[in-house]
Amino acid sequence: MTEPGEQDEVVVARKPNDADARGILSLTPDELKALRRSRKHSGGEAIHVTRQHNLSVIRRLLYANGPQTRPELARLSGLSLPTVGGLVSELVGAGTVHDLGVVAEARVGKPASRVAIDAEGNCTIVLDLTHDDTFTGAIIDLDGTVVDRAQLSIGGAHGEPALDYAVDLARLLIKRASSQVIGIGVASPGLVDDTGLVHVADRLRWRDVPLADTIQTRTGLPTVVGNDVNLLALGLSRFRNRSGRDAIVVDMANGVGAAVLEGGEPVLGEQFAAGEIAHLTVDPGGELCPCGRRGCLDMVVGAPHLQRRVAAVGAEVLEPAGRTLGEVLAPIVIMLNINVVVVVGPGGLVEGAFADGVVDGIHSRLRPAIIEGLKIEVGANDPDLVLLGAAAAVMESQLGVR
């Protein structure tokens, strides 16, 4: 295994995809209307559901509070001591929790033993599929520590070959893991539903790709898939800023994408398209966008286009671009009563004049009373946030940990 922080590049030779490259994939209005978030109903598995819920309660208590005795867990959870004892035994048997042994206490009675989440003995495999020529992945333990990393050059592949590359990277990391892998988390571009089905991902030319099911079938490990910006926001909420506050998070690195966090959880939207602001028209007479319309927000603010304009015209375009983004975000802030706005992108682009423009744009549209309680952060992107968000999604799905 490589030392933490090292990166290996594994190049897998494949015939380039020969699918046509006629343009950007997009959903028709009818296709978009057909998408609906699933509604979860209580069924006939009440006993199973209750037990899974109780297991999640114990895991969350241990994750949040550190090592606890069984009586302490019973008191914190409100469950009976025999019930807690059975749940802890099940978690110890699964390798999720380990017994720390007897802890001497200054009281009369039988000494109690403490149990704890085995953060180092369990890990997640996470993949970031958002870059044009490279898929990145990591092994992350339950404390959010990146234990190992890997990169795989995909040479601009798309379609089925890109899917094969994702599986290859997952398998590579599984082989390198030295602890129990509880699941795989994948950050995908595009429109991703709550089953891990990628309905459309323009960059990879994916349409209705069952990404979670495919990786789970080929690796044998539980797999969760989410939109990359939603997972970036989740990583920020769970591992960088644990406040759990409502927030808007905007990522400019690969074009403009946004996520809305409510209580620290991403809002998906009815058709899983919450935060898809890239093709909001902000300049009707502006540049032609690949989507066929003019003046889309992505053409004004997306890092690739903004860097091109800076190279051609100069840095004077940065402040107006930031102001445009701020003016777009202001109505969302007031509509949802958001108190935190985070904008991330390439450091040399978003810091300085652009950041000033974002703040000015938001302030110009809001009342002073709203501005006083608003926290706005604009800065360089941490590439680990997407990976950490994918790890958080696995921990939630497999351990019930939030």
Side-chain angles (χ1 to χ4, degrees):
M1 189 168 96
T2 61
E3 292 298 318
E6 289 185 353
Q7 293 189 349
D8 286 348
E9 182 171 3
V10 180
V11 180
V12 180
R14 277 208 182 88
K15 181 180 178 181
N17 190 297
D18 59 0
D20 69 73
R22 288 176 291 179
I24 290 181
L25 296 173
S26 60
L27 294 174
T28 68
D30 287 342
E31 288 172 328
L32 188 60
K33 288 178 183 178
L35 296 181
R36 286 293 184 273
R37 193 171 66 250
S38 60
R39 307 298 182 188
K40 297 179 181 179
H41 304 281
S42 57
E45 300 181 355
I47 295 176
H48 173 73
V49 170
T50 299
R51 186 163 188 79
Q52 292 304 312
H53 169 75
N54 289 342
L55 286 167
S56 294
V57 167
I58 300 301
R59 288 186 295 243
R60 288 175 186 172
L61 287 172
L62 290 173
Y63 190 74
N65 299 292
Q68 302 287 309
T69 65
R70 289 163 179 80
E72 286 170 339
L73 288 170
R75 185 170 62 255
L76 289 170
S77 67
L79 299 171
S80 69
L81 185 55
T83 297
V84 168
L87 295 169
V88 168
S89 295
E90 186 172 336
L91 292 171
V92 170
T96 305
V97 167
H98 60 161
D99 200 317
L100 300 179
V102 173
V103 178
E105 296 179 325
R107 64 179 178 84
V108 178
K110 183 180 178 180
S113 64
R114 293 191 187 279
V115 294
I117 291 283
D118 189 357
E120 295 182 357
N122 291 272
C123 69
T124 63
I125 300 295
V126 293
L127 311 179
D128 180 356
L129 312 183
T130 59
H131 303 284
D132 288 336
D133 297 318
T134 303
F135 286 168
T136 63
I139 300 170
I140 298 180
D141 70 18
L142 304 191
D143 284 332
T145 300
V146 177
V147 178
D148 195 6
R149 301 174 188 268
Q151 292 184 337
L152 192 153
S153 177
I154 68 170
H158 48 262
E160 187 68 28
L163 183 58
D164 291 338
Y165 279 126
V167 173
D168 286 345
L169 182 56
R171 286 173 171 165
L172 170 68
L173 289 164
I174 291 168
K175 289 180 181 178
R176 290 162 67 163
S178 59
S179 57
Q180 175 176 260
V181 179
I182 64 170
I184 299 172
V186 185
S188 171
L191 202 62
V192 184
D193 72 16
D194 51 1
T195 70
L197 177 68
V198 180
H199 288 282
V200 58
D202 295 343
R203 195 174 302 116
L204 295 171
R205 296 190 193 167
W206 281 349
R207 274 292 191 103
D208 296 326
V209 173
L211 186 56
D213 286 347
T214 300
I215 293 178
Q216 181 163 322
T217 298
R218 296 191 192 179
T219 63
L221 287 171
T223 301
V224 293
V225 177
N227 168 267
D228 59 311
V229 183
N230 283 340
L231 291 181
L232 182 151
L234 190 62
L236 184 70
S237 174
R238 299 288 170 80
F239 292 104
R240 293 290 189 263
N241 179 1
R242 295 176 182 265
S243 67
R245 298 175 67 185
D246 296 355
I248 298 171
V249 180
V250 179
D251 180 21
M252 299 166 44
N254 298 307
V256 183
V260 176
L261 294 176
E262 182 178 3
E265 290 288 326
V267 175
L268 299 182
E270 184 70 13
Q271 282 97 24
F272 314 101
E276 294 290 335
I277 61 174
H279 298 289
L280 178 69
T281 300
V282 295
D283 180 12
E287 286 187 66
L288 182 65
C289 178
C291 78
R293 296 163 60 90
R294 288 191 176 274
C296 290
L297 183 64
D298 191 41
M299 300 301 296
V300 176
V301 175
H305 302 294
L306 188 54
Q307 287 170 329
R308 172 176 51 79
R309 289 167 56 218
V310 168
V313 179
E316 62 265 27
V317 303
L318 291 174
E319 193 278 337
R323 174 175 283 271
T324 296
L325 179 59
E327 290 172 350
V328 167
L329 297 177
I332 308 173
V333 168
I334 194 66
M335 176 70 75
L336 299 180
N337 188 28
I338 295 291
N339 289 317
V340 177
V341 176
V342 180
V343 178
V344 296
L349 200 66
V350 302
E351 296 166 335
F354 183 88
D356 293 340
V358 172
V359 174
D360 290 344
I362 293 176
H363 285 188
S364 70
R365 299 297 177 94
L366 300 178
R367 294 170 54 203
I370 301 298
I371 294 170
E372 287 179 9
L374 184 62
K375 181 179 180 181
I376 305 173
E377 299 178 2
V378 183
N381 185 25
D382 176 353
D384 281 350
L385 285 177
V386 173
L387 298 172
L388 289 170
V394 174
M395 290 167 61
E396 181 170 339
S397 69
Q398 297 305 308
L399 303 180
V401 170
R402 294 185 179 180

